[in-house]
Amino acid sequence: MRIAIAGASGRMGKTLIEAVINHPACTLAGAFDLAGSPTLGRDAGDFMGTNTGVTITDSVEQALSNAQVLIDFTRPEGTLTHLVVCQQLGVKAVIGTTGFEADQKTAMAELAKKVAMVWSPNMAVGVNATFKLLEVAAKILSQGYDIEVIEAHHSKKVDAPSGTALRMGEVVAKALGTDLDTVGVFAREGITGERQPGTIGFSTIRGGDIVGDHTVLFAGLGERIEITHKSSSRMTYAQGSIRAAQFLMDKPTGLFDMQDVLGLSQLRL
């Protein structure tokens, strides 16, 4: 597979480049970043001491000109711009960007009518297995348990709660027969009164270099059940992204997620 990487100078971008270079079924076909990035004009593998023959550019079109798949973990506005170019050039896309607003998700779905893409707030295989476990747990613990989602990330993360935490809340809410917009509680301060039954609370931690920790707590009378996933390396996201790219190779159009990639959307437990 010929893969291009967006945000090539960032932490996730570098991890993706490393994963592509080291994967036997992948070739790095392009790398790009914002205008003004100090890495423009340099080889994409410089940070590894490797010569890839791919120069980091600020031209999306140039970076995608020889690519089959774009992997993008940037920002919503930039990702949507990149997807327009993907549509024009017939390049498939794997999107790990989070923080999309409702109208941006709609725009992405429209673009997916012309080009195949996988979008997931978390590409790690273990996290997506956790989503399935949460679905089962929520159905079993649907009565008598208060539900809280606690997430922690590094100090540079700009959106909160994380996309993974929100997806966890969505999975639980759907399993309970409701939706997160109705039952989600995202802030508590002052005299809040007693906790309302049936709500799903969120707590956000930001600090240091935490890659990503997520816990869903089911708190009942006399017991607590906690389902936790902890990431110690961004490489798990990169490896999942390559798996998603492989999934897309025979898909002409459509918007998929990692549950589709892993065959979990059809799994009934």
Side-chain angles (χ1 to χ4, degrees), residues 187-196:
R188 296 188 181 106
E189 184 179 5
I191 308 224
T192 61
E194 294 184 3
R195 191 186 200 281
Q196 293 299 309

Side-chain angles (χ1 to χ4, degrees), residues 10-163:
R11 285 170 295 185
M12 192 62 218
K14 290 177 179 178
T15 303
L16 288 164
I17 289 170
E18 180 180 355
V20 169
I21 290 172
N22 290 328
H23 197 287
C26 297
T27 298
L28 185 66
F32 63 94
D33 213 326
L34 295 172
S37 169
T39 62
L40 295 181
R42 295 172 58 181
D43 189 278
D46 272 2
F47 70 98
M48 298 172 57
T50 299
N51 183 12
T52 67
V54 173
T55 301
I56 299 176
T57 178
D58 60 1
S59 169
V60 182
E61 292 81 1
Q62 179 182 337
L64 297 183
S65 62
N66 191 41
Q68 293 172 294
V69 184
L70 166 68
I71 303 181
D72 189 328
F73 280 68
T74 58
R75 300 282 178 86
E77 296 78 7
T79 295
L80 286 172
T81 300
H82 307 157
L83 289 177
V84 170
V85 181
C86 284
Q87 178 192 330
Q88 294 168 347
L89 298 180
V91 176
K92 304 173 195 295
V94 174
I95 307 301
T97 304
T98 60
F100 287 104
E101 299 292 343
D103 61 328
Q104 293 173 321
K105 292 179 183 178
T106 300
M108 185 161 50
E110 284 297 314
L111 289 167
K113 294 177 181 179
K114 300 289 183 64
V115 65
M117 63 182 75
V118 171
W119 173 64
S120 177
N122 196 305
M123 293 288 175
V125 172
V127 165
N128 283 276
T130 302
F131 291 155
K132 201 66 182 182
L133 295 174
L134 288 171
E135 178 186 338
V136 175
K139 289 178 179 178
I140 296 171
L141 306 173
S142 60
Q143 297 181 17
Y145 292 85
D146 295 322
I147 303 169
E148 295 284 316
V149 182
I150 305 105
E151 61 100 341
H153 281 84
H154 54 88
S155 59
K156 305 299 183 184
K157 186 167 179 61
V158 299
D159 57 313
S162 70

Side-chain angles (χ1 to χ4, degrees), residues 12 15-16 19 71 73 94 96 121-128 152-154 157 164 210-214 229-244 258:
M12 192 62 218
T15 303
L16 288 164
I71 303 181
F73 280 68
V94 174
N122 196 305
M123 293 288 175
V125 172
V127 165
N128 283 276
H153 281 84
H154 54 88
K157 186 167 179 61
T164 302
I210 302 170
V211 175
D213 294 350
H214 295 86
H229 180 278
K230 294 186 177 183
S231 294
S232 58
S233 169
R234 291 177 179 82
M235 190 56 71
T236 58
Y237 310 142
Q239 295 295 343
S241 298
I242 291 175
R243 194 160 171 176
M258 283 300 288

Side-chain angles (χ1 to χ4, degrees), residues 212-256:
D213 294 350
H214 295 86
T215 294
V216 179
L217 167 68
F218 297 85
L221 295 177
E223 66 176 359
R224 296 192 305 274
I225 300 95
E226 297 180 10
I227 298 178
T228 297
H229 180 278
K230 294 186 177 183
S231 294
S232 58
S233 169
R234 291 177 179 82
M235 190 56 71
T236 58
Y237 310 142
Q239 295 295 343
S241 298
I242 291 175
R243 194 160 171 176
Q246 291 172 316
F247 169 85
L248 284 177
M249 294 309 293
D250 64 350
K251 307 292 187 299
T253 60
L255 180 59
F256 306 91

Side-chain angles (χ1 to χ4, degrees), residues 131 134 146-152 160-173 179-189 195 198-206 213-217:
F131 291 155
L134 288 171
D146 295 322
I147 303 169
E148 295 284 316
V149 182
I150 305 105
E151 61 100 341
S162 70
T164 302
L166 290 171
R167 178 60 63 87
M168 287 178 166
E170 290 168 353
V171 168
V172 171
D179 64 86
L180 191 59
D181 289 339
T182 303
V183 300
V185 176
F186 301 97
R188 296 188 181 106
E189 184 179 5
R195 191 186 200 281
T199 56
I200 299 175
F202 285 77
S203 299
T204 296
I205 297 165
R206 293 287 178 267
D213 294 350
H214 295 86
T215 294
V216 179
L217 167 68

